[in-house]
Amino acid sequence: MVGLLFGTVLVVGLGERMRLPYPILMLLFSAGAAFLPFIPEVHINPELILPLFLPPLLYAAAQRSSWSIFRLRWRSLVLLAVLLVLATTAAVAGVAWLMVSSMALPLAIALGAIVAPPDPVAVEAIASKVKMRRRLITVLQTEGLFNDAMAIVIFQAAVAAAMSGGEVGWNVVPKFLIGAAGAIVLGLAMAWLIGTLNRFVPNLVARSAATLVAPYAVYLLAEEVHFSGVVAVVVTALELGRRARPQDSEERLTRTAFWDVVELLTTGVAFGLVGIEMR
C-alpha cells in the first residue's frame, strides 16, 4: 500500500510529462509490477472496496458541481444517469446472454450493470483530447455522480436473483427512487450536522477533517438502512457547498488543497489495486 502511494506520486509526474491521465498509467504500471517476483499478492475483501474508496471519490467529485446545475440540466441528468444506464445494461446483458450459452440471465445483467456507468476519469481524459465544451463536460461529470447509484442497485438485484434462482424485474427502478429519496434526506441531515459542528470548531484543519468523516458516515448509515449511499454522499457534498459563505475563503482554500490530496492518493491506490489484481 505504501508502495502504491509513492507510485501514485511518481506516476502523476510522468502523466503530466506524457500528457496522459495518471489513473490509466497507474493501472498499467501496477499490472506490470504484479508479475515481478518480489511483489506480494494483495487480497482485499471485495465487500470493503466500495465503503473504502467510493465515499471520498464521490465527495471530491461532487464538490466540483452544484445544485444550480441540477436545476438547469435535470432532464439530461435523469436521461443519462437512469435511462441510459438501464439501456446500456440491457444491451450488454443481451449480447452476453446470447454469446455465452452457459451464462444465466441474472449474471448477464450483473455484467451489464458493471460496465454501464462511465467513470468521470474517462470523461476528463477524452474531453481533454477532443476539446469538448465545458458545459457538456460539466453535465457528464455531474451525471457520473449518480449513474453509479443506479448501476449498484441493478447489480445487487441481479446478484440476489442469481443466488436465489429468481429474476430481475423493473422493480429496480422504484427501488432506486425510494433509496434515492431516503438518501437525499440523510444527505441534507448530515450537511446540517457538519455545518452546525463547524460553527463550534474554529480550527480550519479540524473543519476539513470533518468533511473527510462525513462522506464515510453518511454512506455507511445509508447502506445500513438500505438507502443509496452514493446519493447520500453526493447530496452531503452539494449541500455543504451551498452553505458556504463568501467570508469563508480561507477555509475553502484549505479544504480544496486537502481534498485534492485525498482524491489523488485514493484514485491512485484504487487503480493500482485493480492492476495488481489483474495477475
Side-chain angles (χ1 to χ4, degrees):
M1 296 300 291
V2 173
L4 289 177
L5 293 172
F6 274 114
T8 300
V9 176
L10 295 174
V11 168
V12 167
L14 183 62
E16 290 185 351
R17 293 176 182 273
M18 299 175 63
R19 296 183 180 180
L20 292 173
Y22 77 90
I24 307 303
L25 290 177
M26 191 67 190
L27 177 68
L28 296 175
F29 278 108
S30 59
F35 288 93
L36 298 177
F38 56 85
I39 298 295
E41 291 188 12
V42 178
H43 298 289
I44 297 180
N45 186 339
E47 301 213 356
L48 292 177
I49 296 297
L50 289 181
L52 279 176
F53 292 103
L54 202 54
L57 291 177
L58 282 171
Y59 190 92
Q63 291 183 112
R64 296 190 286 270
S65 186
S66 66
W67 286 122
S68 60
I69 295 176
F70 285 89
R71 287 194 295 268
L72 291 172
R73 309 291 177 197
W74 67 270
R75 291 184 182 86
S76 299
L77 296 175
V78 170
L79 287 172
L80 291 170
V82 179
L83 297 183
L84 183 58
V85 170
L86 286 171
T88 306
T89 301
V92 173
V95 172
W97 186 56
L98 291 173
M99 292 184 64
V100 184
S101 58
S102 61
M103 179 178 287
L105 184 57
L107 291 180
I109 294 174
L111 175 63
I114 290 172
V115 302
D119 190 88
V121 172
V123 173
E124 295 174 5
I126 295 172
S128 62
K129 304 297 182 186
V130 300
K131 297 181 180 180
M132 196 179 294
R133 290 185 179 182
R134 185 62 201 170
R135 183 176 65 180
L136 181 57
I137 295 174
T138 303
V139 170
L140 292 175
Q141 288 175 333
T142 305
E143 175 266 341
L145 299 173
F146 288 95
N147 56 26
D148 285 336
M150 187 68 206
I152 288 173
V153 170
I154 299 174
F155 176 78
Q156 290 174 338
V159 171
M163 298 293 289
S164 63
E167 296 181 354
V168 184
W170 285 100
N171 61 335
V172 297
V173 175
K175 183 178 179 181
F176 166 75
L177 295 176
I178 294 172
I184 290 172
V185 174
L186 284 180
L188 294 174
M190 181 60 68
W192 175 84
L193 178 64
I194 296 299
T196 303
L197 180 66
N198 285 342
R199 285 198 291 270
F200 294 95
V201 180
N203 188 285
L204 296 180
V205 177
R207 291 184 182 183
S208 297
T211 64
L212 180 60
V213 177
Y216 282 108
V218 76
Y219 180 90
L220 294 174
L221 179 60
E223 291 294 318
E224 186 68 22
V225 295
H226 304 293
F227 292 156
S228 173
V230 172
V231 175
V233 173
V234 172
V235 170
T236 301
L238 294 175
E239 183 63 13
L240 284 174
R242 186 189 68 83
R243 290 169 170 264
R245 302 175 301 175
Q247 59 268 34
D248 296 334
S249 58
E250 186 178 358
E251 179 180 348
R252 283 198 301 274
L253 290 173
T254 303
R255 187 177 299 175
T256 299
F258 172 79
W259 273 101
D260 284 345
V261 174
V262 171
E263 183 179 21
L264 184 142
L265 292 178
T266 305
T267 302
V269 171
F271 277 82
L273 288 174
V274 173
I276 289 177
E277 288 281 357
M278 279 188 169
R279 184 178 67 174

